[in-house]
Amino acid sequence: MMPSDNDPGHTALAAVPPHRPGLVVETRSAPGGAKLCVLVGDLDIETLAPAAEALGALVAQGPGAGAVVIDLGGVGFCDSSGLNVLLRTRIAAERGGLELRLAAVPPSVMRVFDLTGAGAVFSIHDSVAGALAG
């Protein structure tokens, strides 16, 4: 006989959703007038709103802001929606007369770029210092 949920000796197991780390977004001015956006965590459908908002605000500052550098070194995962935010930001930056540069792209994110061909449209640098230098 199977224990029921009403059986005092039975402990019901609740479905526990997998842990989903959030996304920490930090923006600041960098030397030379560039704007830096540091992303740490997962860039996916569930976490991308703060990144999209911050990147949109940086691009909205216009050409006087200099280059916009996105530090992806702390991103552990990027899905198609995260890639879409980066692509939309690149287009908006280009239209606004800004140069968008990606820095410290980890292998997991680079794989997404390689699989989709998106790496060809970004200015990708090994480090933040390299991206800031242009």
Side-chain angles (χ1 to χ4, degrees):
M1 181 165 142
M2 297 285 296
S4 73
D5 289 340
N6 297 334
D7 181 357
H10 174 71
T11 303
L13 296 177
V16 178
H19 174 68
R20 298 285 305 166
L23 181 70
V24 177
V25 179
E26 179 186 323
T27 61
R28 62 181 177 264
S29 295
K35 300 298 180 189
L36 177 63
C37 181
V38 180
L39 303 178
V40 178
D42 290 347
L43 184 58
D44 61 25
I45 189 72
E46 294 179 15
T47 64
L48 63 82
E53 185 178 317
L55 291 168
L58 289 179
V59 169
Q61 293 178 17
V68 173
V69 174
I70 305 173
D71 178 357
L72 296 172
V75 174
F77 175 78
C78 179
D79 70 3
S80 60
S81 60
L83 175 60
N84 193 13
V85 165
L86 296 174
L87 289 167
R88 285 194 323 255
T89 302
R90 185 194 66 80
I91 291 168
E94 186 177 277
R95 287 183 181 154
L98 291 164
E99 185 178 351
L100 180 74
R101 302 173 192 152
L102 303 181
V105 180
S108 61
V109 176
M110 201 63 198
R111 178 159 164 71
V112 173
F113 290 174
D114 291 341
L115 289 171
T116 61
V121 301
F122 288 111
S123 173
I124 299 175
H125 302 264
D126 291 336
S127 66
V128 172
L132 290 172

